[in-house]
Amino acid sequence: MAKKQRTAIEPTRAENYPEWYQQVIKAADLAENSPVRGCMVIKPWGYGLWENIQKVLDRMFKETGHENAYFPLFIPRSFLQKEAEHVDGFAKECAVVTHSRLEADENGVLQPTGELEEPLIVRPTSETIIGEMYSKWVQSYRDLPILINQWANVVRWEMRTRLFLRTAEFLWQEGHTVHATQEEAVEETLKMLDVYETFARDYLAVPVIKGEKTAAERFPGAVSTYSIEAMMQDRKALQAGTSHFLGQNFAKSSEIKFLSSEGQEEYAWTTSWGVSTRLVGAMIMVHSDDDGLVLPPKLAPRHVVIIPVIPKEEHRDAVTDYCRKLQGELLGCNYGDQPLRVELDERDMRGGEKVWGWVKKGVPVRLEVGPRDVENDAVFLGRRDKAAKDRQTVSRKDLLQSIEGILGDIHEALYQRALKFQKENTKRIETKEEFYSWFANEKESGFVICPWAGSAELEKEISTETKVTIRCIPMDEKKTGTCPFTGTENAPMAVFARSY
Amino acid sequence: MAKKQRTAIEPTRAENYPEWYQQVIKAADLAENSPVRGCMVIKPWGYGLWENIQKVLDRMFKETGHENAYFPLFIPRSFLQKEAEHVDGFAKECAVVTHSRLEADENGVLQPTGELEEPLIVRPTSETIIGEMYSKWVQSYRDLPILINQWANVVRWEMRTRLFLRTAEFLWQEGHTVHATQEEAVEETLKMLDVYETFARDYLAVPVIKGEKTAAERFPGAVSTYSIEAMMQDRKALQAGTSHFLGQNFAKSSEIKFLSSEGQEEYAWTTSWGVSTRLVGAMIMVHSDDDGLVLPPKLAPRHVVIIPVIPKEEHRDAVTDYCRKLQGELLGCNYGDQPLRVELDERDMRGGEKVWGWVKKGVPVRLEVGPRDVENDAVFLGRRDKAAKDRQTVSRKDLLQSIEGILGDIHEALYQRALKFQKENTKRIETKEEFYSWFANEKESGFVICPWAGSAELEKEISTETKVTIRCIPMDEKKTGTCPFTGTENAPMAVFARSY
Ligand SMILES: [Zn+2]
Ligand SMILES: [Zn+2]
């Protein structure tokens, strides 16, 4: 048996993928569980990622004509009651506020008092409360479109939680728009899906499949739900963003009506779309390796870290001066339209420990600088997309000229690696036998593209049997085929996978 | 009786200040009440202000070494129970979550089910939950300082709410830092107070008095609380930001201990500091006039609005082309380190209505452009710090050269006007009689600077009698005097005022 190579993260992906995921997060100091059930604490390195995601998406939303606003955290029960009337066996896992006061009882124990006349629900999503406001704001076609986004926290009482992927409280953005025509609302729905796809590709370096959900997976109340689906390194799918065309359904339940230019009273057409801190989980699971986090350069809190290597005290001044000067020069460089984010790690600890710390934190470029490098006016450069030991000496001059290109290369390398993995683990299947035997291997099965013309019931049956769901009907797939489950010809293709 | 001049806002400030405030917010479309008791909806124009406030403060926090993180929305009851043990008659107006599920009963009415073993409180502030995390993160002096800020929503069950000034839910930032020494923690507390003062002066254009709170007004658990206090146009004070030196009190209740460099186990020293959406209320009340909102230019969602004036259809093309070209040129200009934010208002409505709309929204510079202006290659310029009718023709060339200067002048004019008002309404008083007779006039009394050596009890007595409180012991005041209430000599000066 070959001697196992030591990795910074144990277990490795191959050994235990879910545990590897937790350990990557821990080693990178991204987040941790809090004493509040299912709620996470997002630590500075993890929050820095989310801030960078927010900045880019916020700019993209504004460039597509949206504005931000803020709506209440609480939703009166009566608003959900309206929804419940249309949903059989309505039950919602959510945080319910029933009292407005804490008061010490005779034993000094704080007890909830001041019972509310109507319970309030901590928003799991804001369609109902935003719809209520929109119904007041929209009177005439001149008030349309409304193109509003909200950055907010939401709460869903999840039983089994996992950092970033599924937490009781999470951070997200929810866009809610209102339009005078169906055509315009559909266009908006697809435009924002495209924004998500572009963001995933150009910033997360994550290839996604864009498509429409089947009826079984549709957002309740939506006419159509679209999503972007990404493949994780365990070959499971993760839904990374959704965009819903709500038709006139929400306009009707919220009474969003307007007087058209022809003087006709009409219900408006609405959309909603969102992504969340789940994106951080996707980013981790697509790119990271057995040495820890690997960050796509455009979203990394730091692009470059400089690590002074000081073997003897006599070298300290020369190395430190050189590193500080180098940091100044790098801070003057750009990556895309952003100034370079450069950390100089002057902490008082062993060089090797520092280097591994930054490997585990996923910083795209590491520059080690020792006395010999100073003499040669050069740095020892490591790229996080390559093996930790695979480093090379680069002259300072070359570094300054090539750093933007290097970061661009890393982005491209991560994207291409993920795309290759996705393609290698996607199979076209045309028979039921092949379908079931492929998914019989729980560990190695990935995406299956297969013609589909089944009902929601049949979809549910298959999913109960195999734990596989239809992720979407991909939009970039033009071919059709014979559905192996129903025999229907010219059926559109569907993407099947196990999923998060 | 002179004929009353028509104003865009009715009532005027003089007629009914609180109602004027509500009408300014409504006319500017900043925010409105929601169907959820005490919770407001912040509309895009109001949220744009808050976004600009966030951007600037976030940069200032980062420049002073802080990072952002995110902690849970909920606080377990047991965390507040610890606090309650030290506070007599503890009672907290807060939102208490007691159930985790909504389920339809036999009549289809949604009922809270899934009662929690321990109630959760929606955070009114996060000292306890953050302290719990810090106690795990801090082991050694090498882990210090911790310099973390959080942007978040918080909830306090207020009975009487007013948009931006006092709402059940509001948005804020809360800084929470941990230090190895008292000296460093005190330095941090005062540094952040300075950040707030600088922000108020240089961005809000609001002069503030910086000082320490008396024991009666101190944050529970703090060793010392500092604040910045601003004078509104009704001469009342508004506390616009606070910074607390918490000593070792919170470290002791949260068990934040560290091993010093000498190998000694010690309790850490902590601080906390915050500002909220209340700042938007302060900004409105300090600068706005009887024609509506007046925005300090650096925070305005738009610096400049261009309003095409098209008397006849035949003018449309020439005027529109000219305005679009002008917008392009202005977008290429800067104000401070920011590109100019320029709106071209091409809506299909009467010119006069548009102009008044932008006056009420407080945009610093309005440019009206009609056919004559196009011929003369000029614009008709109105400044929001001057009367709405006080406009002048400026050549396009001069405009492009002077726009940054004009915005700077507006900022300065707003600041100086507010400072003059504050000074004119601040009185130095040395006798009890004068004190009581000054504050007998509820409408016209402003700030009083008076020597003070009284107890917390005496302060409470005075406040019960007069509705006046000590806002702070101003830090920039070096004089002392004889306290007229106690006769104590060499007493420090205190600022007394009615307040929000
Ligand atoms: Zn209905
Ligand atoms: Zn205690």
Side-chain angles (χ1 to χ4, degrees):
Chain A
M1 195 177 138
K3 197 183 157 195
K4 196 187 142 196
Q5 210 183 331
R6 251 196 91 220
T7 54
I9 301 297
E10 293 192 343
T12 62
R13 286 163 292 180
E15 288 166 351
N16 184 340
Y17 192 81
E19 182 57 23
W20 163 84
Y21 175 74
Q22 304 290 345
Q23 291 304 323
V24 169
I25 290 173
K26 190 174 172 187
D29 210 19
L30 291 173
E32 61 186 63
N33 288 308
S34 80
V36 185
R37 210 189 130 290
C39 292
M40 68 177 160
V41 172
I42 308 180
K43 299 182 79 171
W45 194 252
Y47 199 81
L49 278 172
W50 179 241
E51 283 183 294
N52 289 341
I53 290 173
Q54 283 189 299
K55 259 179 228 158
V56 175
L57 282 174
D58 199 68
R59 178 169 50 71
M60 293 174 89
F61 297 159
K62 283 174 178 157
E63 282 170 0
T64 45
H66 303 86
E67 297 179 297
N68 290 324
Y70 189 76
F71 297 87
L73 172 66
F74 300 125
I75 297 179
R77 170 175 61 180
S78 58
F79 286 37
L80 297 184
Q81 186 72 49
K82 273 191 268 176
E83 249 186 271
E85 279 157 23
H86 302 272
V87 181
D88 274 343
F90 182 99
K92 259 209 151 105
E93 312 304 319
C94 54
V96 188
V97 175
T98 54
H99 294 74
S100 69
R101 201 156 203 257
L102 270 190
E103 226 167 330
D105 65 16
E106 59 272 27
N107 303 315
V109 179
L110 294 178
Q111 300 295 357
T113 61
E115 190 169 1
L116 300 180
E117 281 182 36
E118 180 180 15
L120 296 173
I121 288 80
V122 179
R123 63 183 161 215
T125 178
S126 302
E127 273 78 7
T128 57
I129 182 87
I130 293 182
E132 172 78 11
M133 300 313 296
Y134 283 179
S135 73
K136 292 177 189 160
W137 299 350
V138 175
Q139 306 295 335
S140 137
Y141 71 96
R142 288 171 190 271
D143 301 325
L144 297 176
I146 292 185
L147 303 171
I148 283 181
N149 174 62
Q150 163 170 276
W151 292 97
N153 53 345
V154 288
V155 172
R156 296 170 188 183
W157 211 266
E158 301 284 355
M159 290 311 291
R160 271 183 245 166
T161 61
R162 207 185 303 197
L163 292 170
F164 292 116
L165 296 179
R166 175 171 282 113
T167 48
E169 183 191 14
F170 57 92
L171 305 181
W172 81 344
Q173 61 70 214
E174 46 181 325
H176 295 273
T177 71
V178 190
H179 306 267
T181 67
Q182 170 167 13
E183 191 192 358
E184 204 185 293
V186 168
E187 196 186 299
E188 167 79 9
T189 309
L190 296 176
K191 185 195 286 174
M192 300 323 288
L193 187 69
D194 282 346
V195 164
Y196 292 153
E197 181 194 31
T198 302
F199 177 77
R201 184 188 61 225
D202 294 349
Y203 291 88
L204 295 171
V206 169
V208 294
I209 294 176
K210 206 171 64 171
E212 188 175 346
K213 290 283 185 186
T214 54
E217 299 276 323
R218 205 177 279 151
F219 179 63
V223 172
S224 35
T225 287
Y226 300 86
S227 74
I228 54 170
E229 303 281 333
M231 184 186 284
M232 307 296 103
Q233 288 182 77
D234 61 355
R235 298 170 185 80
K236 281 194 196 168
L238 185 139
Q239 176 180 301
T242 50
S243 188
H244 312 291
F245 168 58
L246 305 172
Q248 293 178 309
N249 295 345
F250 277 82
K252 282 177 182 165
S253 65
S254 294
E255 292 288 319
I256 308 175
K257 287 186 280 195
F258 68 99
L259 220 53
S260 75
S261 57
E262 287 85 37
Q264 211 69 32
E265 182 164 83
E266 294 177 15
Y267 282 111
W269 302 81
T270 69
T271 84
S272 69
W273 29 274
V275 298
S276 73
T277 34
R278 199 166 210 229
L279 285 180
V280 177
M283 185 197 306
I284 297 167
M285 288 208 294
V286 168
H287 298 306
S288 299
D289 63 22
D290 295 338
D291 285 332
L293 189 64
V294 177
L295 289 173
K298 283 187 195 151
L299 299 174
R302 304 285 183 281
H303 296 120
V304 177
V305 60
I306 304 171
I307 304 157
V309 180
I310 300 169
K312 293 187 191 160
E313 206 42 42
E314 65 197 73
H315 301 124
R316 183 173 300 278
D317 286 357
V319 171
T320 302
D321 289 353
Y322 186 87
C323 288
R324 289 185 185 165
K325 190 166 153 258
L326 179 62
Q327 183 185 30
E329 290 174 317
L330 285 168
L331 286 171
C333 298
N334 276 326
Y335 173 44
D337 55 354
Q338 295 275 311
L340 226 52
R341 301 187 281 265
V342 184
E343 172 119 359
L344 170 55
D345 182 357
E346 297 198 66
R347 286 175 301 167
D348 180 22
M349 54 165 71
R350 286 191 318 107
E353 200 181 328
K354 277 192 203 179
V355 171
W356 279 106
W358 292 110
V359 167
K360 288 186 279 186
K361 276 182 162 311
V363 172
V365 173
R366 301 180 309 277
L367 306 175
E368 294 172 59
V369 178
R372 273 281 285 283
D373 303 301
V374 174
E375 261 172 52
N376 299 330
D377 197 14
V379 302
F380 199 44
L381 183 149
R383 285 170 51 152
R384 189 61 187 89
D385 60 327
K386 301 190 171 174
K389 304 262 158 181
D390 177 3
R391 291 164 295 177
Q392 55 178 15
T393 296
V394 179
S395 80
R396 185 180 52 84
K397 208 179 132 212
D398 285 352
L399 173 74
L400 293 173
Q401 277 175 358
S402 62
I403 185 65
E404 183 167 6
I406 292 172
L407 290 165
D409 286 349
I410 295 175
H411 175 91
E412 193 57 23
L414 295 183
Y415 180 78
Q416 291 302 337
R417 187 162 71 190
L419 185 62
K420 183 160 173 277
F421 185 83
Q422 187 216 78
K423 287 198 185 300
E424 283 174 356
N425 291 286
T426 300
K427 196 175 163 62
R428 290 182 174 268
I429 283 182
E430 288 173 4
T431 70
K432 270 167 83 167
E433 287 129 19
E434 214 185 346
F435 183 94
Y436 284 106
S437 82
W438 170 267
F439 280 119
N441 182 340
E442 268 207 41
K443 276 226 157 177
E444 307 249 315
S445 57
F447 288 5
V448 158
I449 299 179
C450 174
W452 173 255
S455 63
E457 287 72 40
L458 183 56
E459 189 179 341
K460 212 164 182 184
E461 258 174 55
I462 295 173
S463 128
T464 309
E465 252 176 283
T466 59
K467 301 266 174 9
V468 168
T469 51
I470 297 180
R471 303 317 304 152
C472 68
I473 309 296
M475 298 167 78
D476 296 337
E477 175 71 53
K478 299 297 165 218
K479 285 195 197 135
T480 58
T482 301
C483 171
F485 302 97
T486 62
T488 315
E489 284 173 32
N490 288 319
M493 295 293 170
V495 175
F496 291 81
R498 292 196 176 80
S499 78
Y500 280 91
Chain B
M1 194 179 141
K3 198 183 156 196
K4 195 188 143 196
Q5 212 182 329
R6 252 194 92 219
T7 55
I9 302 297
E10 293 192 343
T12 63
R13 287 164 289 181
E15 287 165 352
N16 183 340
Y17 192 82
E19 180 59 23
W20 163 84
Y21 174 74
Q22 303 291 344
Q23 292 303 323
V24 168
I25 289 174
K26 190 175 173 186
D29 210 19
L30 291 173
E32 60 187 65
N33 288 308
S34 80
V36 185
R37 210 187 131 291
C39 292
M40 69 177 160
V41 172
I42 309 180
K43 299 182 79 172
W45 195 251
Y47 199 81
L49 278 171
W50 178 242
E51 283 182 293
N52 289 339
I53 289 172
Q54 283 187 299
K55 259 179 228 159
V56 175
L57 281 174
D58 199 69
R59 178 169 51 71
M60 293 174 89
F61 297 158
K62 283 174 178 158
E63 282 170 0
T64 46
H66 303 85
E67 296 179 298
N68 291 323
Y70 189 76
F71 297 87
L73 172 66
F74 300 125
I75 297 177
R77 171 174 61 180
S78 58
F79 286 35
L80 297 185
Q81 186 72 50
K82 274 191 268 177
E83 248 187 89
E85 279 157 21
H86 302 272
V87 181
D88 273 343
F90 182 98
K92 258 207 153 109
E93 313 303 320
C94 54
V96 188
V97 176
T98 55
H99 295 74
S100 69
R101 199 156 204 256
L102 269 190
E103 225 168 331
D105 64 17
E106 59 272 26
N107 303 315
V109 179
L110 296 177
Q111 300 295 356
T113 61
E115 191 168 359
L116 300 179
E117 279 182 37
E118 180 181 15
L120 296 173
I121 288 80
V122 179
R123 64 183 160 216
T125 178
S126 302
E127 271 80 6
T128 57
I129 181 87
I130 293 182
E132 172 77 12
M133 300 313 297
Y134 284 180
S135 73
K136 293 177 189 162
W137 300 349
V138 175
Q139 307 294 336
S140 137
Y141 71 97
R142 288 171 190 270
D143 301 323
L144 298 176
I146 292 186
L147 303 171
I148 283 181
N149 175 62
Q150 162 169 277
W151 292 97
N153 52 346
V154 288
V155 172
R156 296 170 189 183
W157 212 267
E158 301 285 353
M159 291 311 291
R160 270 183 245 165
T161 61
R162 209 186 300 197
L163 294 170
F164 292 115
L165 296 178
R166 175 170 282 114
T167 48
E169 182 191 15
F170 56 93
L171 305 181
W172 80 345
Q173 61 68 215
E174 45 183 325
H176 295 272
T177 70
V178 190
H179 307 266
T181 66
Q182 169 166 16
E183 191 191 358
E184 203 186 292
V186 169
E187 197 186 298
E188 167 80 9
T189 310
L190 297 176
K191 184 196 287 176
M192 300 323 287
L193 187 69
D194 282 347
V195 164
Y196 292 153
E197 181 193 32
T198 302
F199 177 76
R201 183 188 63 224
D202 294 350
Y203 291 88
L204 294 170
V206 169
V208 293
I209 294 175
K210 207 171 60 170
E212 188 176 346
K213 291 283 184 186
T214 55
E217 302 274 324
R218 206 177 279 152
F219 179 64
V223 172
S224 35
T225 287
Y226 299 86
S227 73
I228 53 170
E229 303 281 333
M231 184 185 284
M232 306 297 104
Q233 289 182 75
D234 61 355
R235 298 172 184 78
K236 283 193 195 168
L238 185 139
Q239 176 179 302
T242 50
S243 188
H244 312 291
F245 168 59
L246 305 172
Q248 294 178 309
N249 295 344
F250 277 82
K252 282 177 183 164
S253 66
S254 296
E255 291 289 320
I256 309 175
K257 287 187 281 197
F258 68 99
L259 219 56
S260 75
S261 56
E262 286 87 37
Q264 209 70 32
E265 182 164 84
E266 293 177 16
Y267 283 110
W269 302 82
T270 69
T271 83
S272 67
W273 30 273
V275 299
S276 73
T277 33
R278 201 168 207 225
L279 285 180
V280 177
M283 185 197 306
I284 298 167
M285 289 208 294
V286 168
H287 298 307
S288 300
D289 62 22
D290 295 338
D291 286 332
L293 189 63
V294 177
L295 289 173
K298 282 185 196 154
L299 299 174
R302 304 285 182 283
H303 295 121
V304 177
V305 60
I306 304 171
I307 303 157
V309 180
I310 300 169
K312 292 186 191 161
E313 207 40 44
E314 66 196 72
H315 301 123
R316 182 170 301 275
D317 285 357
V319 170
T320 303
D321 289 353
Y322 188 86
C323 287
R324 289 184 186 166
K325 189 165 156 257
L326 180 62
Q327 183 186 28
E329 290 174 317
L330 286 167
L331 286 171
C333 297
N334 277 327
Y335 172 44
D337 55 354
Q338 294 275 310
L340 226 54
R341 300 185 283 264
V342 185
E343 172 120 359
L344 170 54
D345 183 357
E346 297 198 66
R347 285 175 302 167
D348 180 23
M349 55 164 71
R350 287 190 318 104
E353 201 181 327
K354 277 193 205 179
V355 171
W356 278 105
W358 292 110
V359 167
K360 288 185 281 186
K361 276 183 162 314
V363 172
V365 172
R366 301 181 309 279
L367 305 175
E368 295 172 57
V369 178
R372 273 280 288 283
D373 302 302
V374 174
E375 262 171 52
N376 298 330
D377 196 16
V379 301
F380 199 43
L381 182 151
R383 285 170 53 151
R384 189 60 187 86
D385 62 326
K386 300 190 172 175
K389 305 261 159 182
D390 178 4
R391 291 165 296 177
Q392 55 179 14
T393 296
V394 180
S395 81
R396 185 180 53 84
K397 208 179 133 211
D398 284 354
L399 173 73
L400 293 173
Q401 277 174 359
S402 61
I403 185 64
E404 182 165 7
I406 291 172
L407 290 165
D409 286 351
I410 294 174
H411 174 92
E412 193 56 24
L414 295 183
Y415 180 78
Q416 291 303 337
R417 187 162 72 190
L419 185 62
K420 183 161 173 275
F421 185 83
Q422 187 217 77
K423 288 199 183 299
E424 283 174 357
N425 291 286
T426 299
K427 196 175 165 61
R428 288 180 175 270
I429 283 182
E430 288 173 4
T431 70
K432 270 168 83 168
E433 286 129 19
E434 216 185 344
F435 183 93
Y436 284 106
S437 83
W438 170 267
F439 280 119
N441 182 341
E442 270 209 37
K443 277 227 156 176
E444 309 250 313
S445 57
F447 287 6
V448 157
I449 297 178
C450 174
W452 172 256
S455 63
E457 288 71 41
L458 183 55
E459 189 180 339
K460 210 163 182 187
E461 256 174 57
I462 295 173
S463 129
T464 308
E465 250 177 284
T466 60
K467 302 265 174 12
V468 167
T469 52
I470 297 180
R471 304 316 306 153
C472 68
I473 308 296
M475 299 168 79
D476 296 335
E477 176 70 53
K478 299 294 164 219
K479 285 193 199 137
T480 58
T482 302
C483 171
F485 303 96
T486 62
T488 314
E489 283 172 34
N490 289 320
M493 295 293 170
V495 175
F496 291 81
R498 292 196 176 83
S499 78
Y500 280 91

